[in-house]
Amino acid sequence: MSSPAVPRTEPAPTTDVERLVSLACLAPSVHNTQPWRWRYADGLLTLSADLARRLPVEDPRGRDLTLSCGAALHHLQFAARALGWATAVERLPPGPDETVLARVRVHRAGRTVVVPEDLELLRTRRTDRRRFTAWPVPGHRLDDLCRLAAPWGVAAAAVIDDGARFRLELLANQALTALELDARRQAEQDHWVGRTGADGIPAALLPDEPDPLQARSRFRPGLLEDTRMVLHGGDRVIALGGVEDDVAGWLRSGEAMSALWLEATREGLSVVPMSQPTEVEETRREIGRSVLGGAFEPHVLLRVGWQAIGRGGLPRTPRRALADVLEV
């Protein structure tokens, strides 16, 4: 009796990998710095951190940079699945190059199904910083979003208790004050705002502040008509993190953030990262202690809410050319 046939594994051709990396690079990143580099050789796709795009003052440990790369890594896996490819991911592979965050083998075995709706989801996801409506996100939806973090080994908690939300708002405002009083941090952030090239955040995508006593944002006023407070009545916040505050945890939290964000987009919800409270170490530790009750180390906070009905979609923030981020 003959042994069962083993499906022949088909490695992804370069043209398909280029398409996948283009979709992966639609991922959100801190200040739209797009701090990633990709290399495809011998059937293996390598993701590395681009340290030239690190924010040494705001992000000295590289947490936000690694979260951004983790989001791109999940976008790649999501795009591959939507196009019928399988992925085998090795995170933080051993080797002399500490900038290497993951190696991915993209392959296909047997028949596949393409999911156009998921591809469109990657293209439609945005960071809309306009003020959310006062309609709260139902608790069961927040629970569903939090559960999406578990497959990545990431802890997630929705901040819904009024006392915890009030405490978080105070801490978020403290972090914003620290940013405003630090000229070096402010200058570093301003470097990435109002740019007209292939990266950074265009002023046209930042809310203006017609009433500075009511609205507060980490960014200086932009050109988008709106006001937004740190936390608004309808906002809910989801914290993502882990047992350790380290590179391995940040990478997986970035993947979980991407998974959560894409599903929220599918449901019509808007997501905006609140990275400033975790950039101030004292504030980050206090959030873990007094807001999360010591359950886990917070890596990133996500504001989740509803945009006003009838609001038009925003243009996408610019993206670097594929040739600038992928070596084949």
Side-chain angles (χ1 to χ4, degrees):
M1 194 172 173
S2 61
S3 58
V6 177
R8 188 170 67 87
T9 298
E10 173 193 353
T14 301
T15 53
D16 286 59
V17 169
E18 289 174 342
R19 185 180 183 188
L20 291 176
V21 171
S22 293
L23 291 167
C25 291
L26 298 178
S29 61
V30 56
H31 301 347
N32 194 31
T33 51
Q34 304 167 56
W36 43 64
R37 292 182 291 111
W38 303 85
R39 181 174 181 271
Y40 189 54
D42 301 323
L44 199 62
L45 184 60
T46 301
L47 168 64
S48 300
D50 188 344
L51 298 185
R53 292 175 169 269
R54 185 174 176 175
L55 306 174
V57 183
E58 288 184 55
D59 186 31
R61 295 183 62 198
R63 183 189 297 110
D64 289 345
L65 178 149
T66 308
L67 285 162
S68 302
C69 290
L73 178 59
H74 176 266
H75 264 48
L76 179 90
Q77 297 167 76
F78 191 90
R81 187 168 60 249
L83 288 170
W85 291 99
T87 52
V89 181
E90 181 185 12
R91 296 168 184 84
L92 303 183
D97 188 352
E98 294 184 355
T99 68
V100 174
L101 297 175
R103 293 195 179 103
V104 185
R105 194 167 295 280
V106 182
H107 61 279
R108 179 179 284 157
R111 297 182 61 185
T112 60
V113 177
V114 175
V115 187
E117 296 83 1
D118 284 356
L119 296 175
E120 185 60 23
L121 199 60
L122 290 167
R123 299 186 183 103
T124 57
R125 185 213 60 81
R126 298 287 191 277
T127 304
D128 191 340
R129 296 178 178 84
R130 291 175 292 186
R131 179 179 57 194
F132 295 156
T133 69
W135 305 325
V137 181
H140 71 274
R141 288 192 181 233
L142 294 171
D143 291 341
D144 289 343
L145 291 175
C146 286
R147 278 191 283 270
L148 293 172
W152 310 103
V154 172
V159 182
I160 54 177
D161 175 77
D162 287 341
R165 293 183 70 234
F166 179 73
R167 182 64 178 159
L168 179 57
E169 177 145 15
L170 289 177
L171 292 168
N173 275 293
Q174 287 178 14
L176 282 177
T177 299
L179 169 64
E180 292 165 354
L181 295 177
D182 189 330
R184 292 175 63 235
R185 288 183 66 192
Q186 189 68 60
E188 184 177 74
Q189 177 178 283
D190 288 349
H191 175 72
W192 293 95
V193 174
R195 294 160 72 98
T196 58
D199 51 19
I201 306 174
L205 299 183
L206 290 174
D208 64 3
E209 293 182 293
D211 187 349
L213 296 179
Q214 296 295 324
R216 197 170 186 213
S217 167
R218 73 172 295 164
F219 299 109
R220 295 176 189 263
L223 305 178
L224 189 64
E225 185 176 351
D226 187 52
T227 63
R228 180 177 68 79
M229 298 179 70
V230 175
L231 295 178
H232 187 257
D235 296 18
R236 292 296 181 265
V237 173
I238 292 177
L240 299 177
V243 176
E244 302 292 340
D245 185 47
D246 59 9
V247 173
W250 303 337
L251 186 66
R252 286 189 174 272
S253 285
E255 292 179 86
M257 176 179 69
S258 169
L260 186 157
W261 200 328
L262 289 171
E263 187 57 33
T265 301
R266 194 193 304 274
E267 296 183 12
L269 287 161
S270 186
V271 175
V272 178
M274 291 176 62
S275 57
Q276 69 276 5
T278 56
E279 291 169 4
V280 179
E281 190 58 29
E282 296 80 4
T283 304
R284 189 192 68 80
R285 286 198 298 264
E286 183 59 25
I287 289 171
R289 188 188 69 80
S290 63
V291 177
L292 301 176
F296 56 86
E297 292 279 350
H299 297 158
V300 67
L301 306 174
L302 303 174
R303 295 173 58 244
V304 182
W306 305 102
Q307 287 292 344
I309 295 174
R311 240 179 199 169
L314 288 175
R316 173 174 298 286
T317 49
R319 288 298 186 273
R320 301 164 65 192
L322 183 63
D324 292 338
V325 297
L326 173 63
E327 177 187 349
V328 293

